[in-house]
Every structure is written in structure tokens, then in C-alpha cells.
Amino acid sequence: MAKQDFPWWLGLLAVLAAAIIVSVAVSPDSQVIFTAVAKGLGVTITVSLIAYGTSVLLGLILGLLRASPFKPFRELATFYIEVVRGLPMLVILYYIAFVGAPALASALNWLIAPFIKLGWLAAVEVRAFNFTVRAVLALTLGYAAFIAEIFRAGIESVPRGQVEAAHALGLSHGQTLRKVVLPQAVRNVLPALANEFVAIVKDSSLVSVLGVQDITQLGKVYSASTFKFFETYNVVALFYLFITITLSLAVRSLEKKLKRSVHP
């Protein structure tokens, strides 16, 4: 590797990470903090993975509707995307947690009201939807709007001539999407989709405002009880840096592989 091509930022980041790791290793307090915060790692990863998977699925559906030749579908998808993209993720989180969940419980109770009167079913209570579920739903609905635009851009990046050729060969609109457009579109947007996963991991820290026991929430609780804010948030930052930098390097590697496969 040429000297000018060496990622100096990565070297500086490694030095910073090493300094934090050493401070954790030599300090008894940091070791206790590390153990306390690490308990939330599973929640952070679980919330991120589920929210990402469901947002990709919903985003694909919205992206297809956004690129649909049928105007009502296109307008409805555009309305949803523009509204959601215009709201801060924290507002969406609060809205789903404290407005959406009670509304959903009321709607379900209305649907099953006859069975409730007969005593066959119990009324659905709001607390049936725990805050982790509400947080995942909020992240899904929020990020689906951004991912939908990624898919739309990928669909529109496929040359129009290929679509016309597929139709000329007798393929229906659905077959053209499945066999010609989507395989190329997904390939084109893979790096962008991977970057969205990095963003979801970072925004998963917002679920701490609902009391979900993720890395950030456990760090907040520990620091509030011990007043060791500097040491605690150093450890919290180390966890997030490790996850996001690892994912970012994986995305860079994916981009290079895709470039080599397209331009060998």
C-alpha cells in the first residue's frame, strides 16, 4: 500500500481505542463500568437487527410503490415518505410509544369487542406492548422511509432499455421487476443499505429514553448513581465505536468487491 493511501484516520482511531481499552483494563472502576454496561449489548444488537430487517422489508415495499406506474400507489408512498423523513427520529419514537401503542390497543379492542362481551377474549391492554417492541416499531417506521428512497433510486438506476427489452420478450411487469430490475437494483444499493444499518445501530441509543435497557440506558443509570460520568461514557463510546467502525470497514470492503466485480 502506498504511503499516501494509508488510512491515517484509522490509525489515529486505533490509538484512541487502545488508550480507552488500556484505561478500562488498569482501572478497577472502569472494569466495573464495563461489566455493567456490557449487559445492554445484547439489547442494542437485537433492537438494531430486528429494526433493520423489518425496515428493509417495509422500505422495499414502499420503494416499489414509489416507483409504481399506478399514480395512487405512488402518491400514497410519497406522502408517507415525505412526512416521516421530515420528523426527527426521537419524535417518531415518542409518538409510537405514547400515541401509537394506545391507539393500536383501542383499535384491537374495537375489533374484538363482541368476543370481549361474550367473555371469550380479554381486552388488550396498552402494557401488552412493551417499550422494546414500541422502540423497534418506531425505528422500523422511521428508517423504512429512508430505505424506500434508496430502493427507488436503485430501481431507477436500471437502464430503461432493459425494461423495454424484457417487455418485448413477453415478460409481465411483475416478472420484469423480479427477474430484471430488482436483482440489479439491490446490487446497486447494497453499500447504501449497509450504511443504513450503521445509522440504525447509532440511533438505537434513542430507545434509552423509553427505559429500554440498552448500552446507553445502563450507562446513564450507572453514571447517575455513581457520578462517574466521564469514565462511564468513555466505556459507552467504546462499545459504539467498536460496533460502528467494524461495520463501516465491512461496508468499505463490500464497496470495493462490488467495484471489482463490475470493473474487473
Side-chain angles (χ1 to χ4, degrees):
M1 179 185 295
K3 185 177 180 180
Q4 61 270 22
D5 294 331
F6 183 78
W8 294 104
W9 68 271
L10 186 57
L12 291 173
L13 186 62
V15 172
L16 176 61
I20 297 176
I21 291 172
V22 170
S23 69
V24 171
V26 301
S27 170
D29 288 339
S30 294
Q31 293 174 15
V32 173
I33 295 169
F34 187 91
T35 302
V37 173
K39 295 176 182 177
L41 183 60
V43 174
T44 295
I45 293 174
T46 300
V47 167
S48 301
L49 286 174
I50 296 176
Y52 180 70
T54 51
S55 62
V56 166
L57 180 60
L58 180 57
L60 175 58
I61 295 171
L62 288 170
L64 290 171
L65 293 177
R66 183 83 163 80
S68 171
F70 189 50
K71 188 173 181 180
F73 288 168
R74 190 168 66 249
E75 293 296 326
L76 284 173
T78 302
F79 172 78
Y80 175 86
I81 291 167
E82 294 301 328
V83 169
V84 173
R85 289 177 69 195
L87 295 174
M89 190 60 66
L90 188 58
V91 173
I92 297 174
L93 197 69
Y94 279 136
Y95 196 89
I96 295 300
F98 301 114
V99 179
L104 179 59
S106 298
L108 290 175
N109 286 330
W110 178 78
L111 286 173
I112 63 174
F115 302 101
I116 294 175
K117 289 181 180 179
L118 292 172
W120 294 355
L121 293 174
V124 177
E125 297 182 0
V126 177
R127 60 186 176 185
F129 306 103
N130 65 53
F131 281 112
T132 302
V133 173
R134 301 183 203 188
V136 169
L137 180 59
L139 289 173
T140 297
L141 295 176
Y143 269 91
F146 294 93
I147 292 175
E149 286 296 275
I150 292 175
F151 277 120
R152 180 190 63 80
I155 291 170
E156 293 180 352
S157 70
V158 177
R160 182 65 186 171
Q162 295 190 22
V163 177
E164 293 174 351
H167 289 160
L169 291 173
L171 271 66
S172 66
H173 181 70
Q175 290 174 324
T176 302
L177 275 177
R178 290 196 310 271
K179 299 180 179 181
V180 178
V181 177
L182 284 181
Q184 296 183 72
V186 170
R187 180 188 181 87
N188 292 340
V189 302
L190 272 179
L193 289 177
N195 281 325
E196 287 301 302
F197 183 54
V198 177
I200 281 185
V201 170
K202 291 188 291 184
D203 272 353
S204 70
S205 62
L206 294 175
V207 305
S208 63
V209 301
L210 300 180
V212 177
Q213 300 293 299
D214 71 326
I215 295 171
T216 303
Q217 174 64 10
L218 292 181
K220 182 167 64 176
V221 170
Y222 187 88
S223 61
S225 62
T226 62
F227 296 100
K228 295 178 180 177
F229 296 98
F230 179 74
E231 297 89 341
T232 301
Y233 285 109
N234 271 348
V235 174
V236 171
L238 179 62
F239 273 109
Y240 281 111
L241 279 173
F242 176 77
I243 296 171
T244 57
I245 294 301
T246 301
L247 290 172
S248 295
L249 292 176
V251 171
R252 286 170 180 262
S253 176
L254 175 63
E255 289 177 344
K256 290 179 180 178
K257 288 181 179 178
L258 290 175
K259 286 180 180 178
R260 284 197 299 267
S261 64
V262 175
H263 306 288

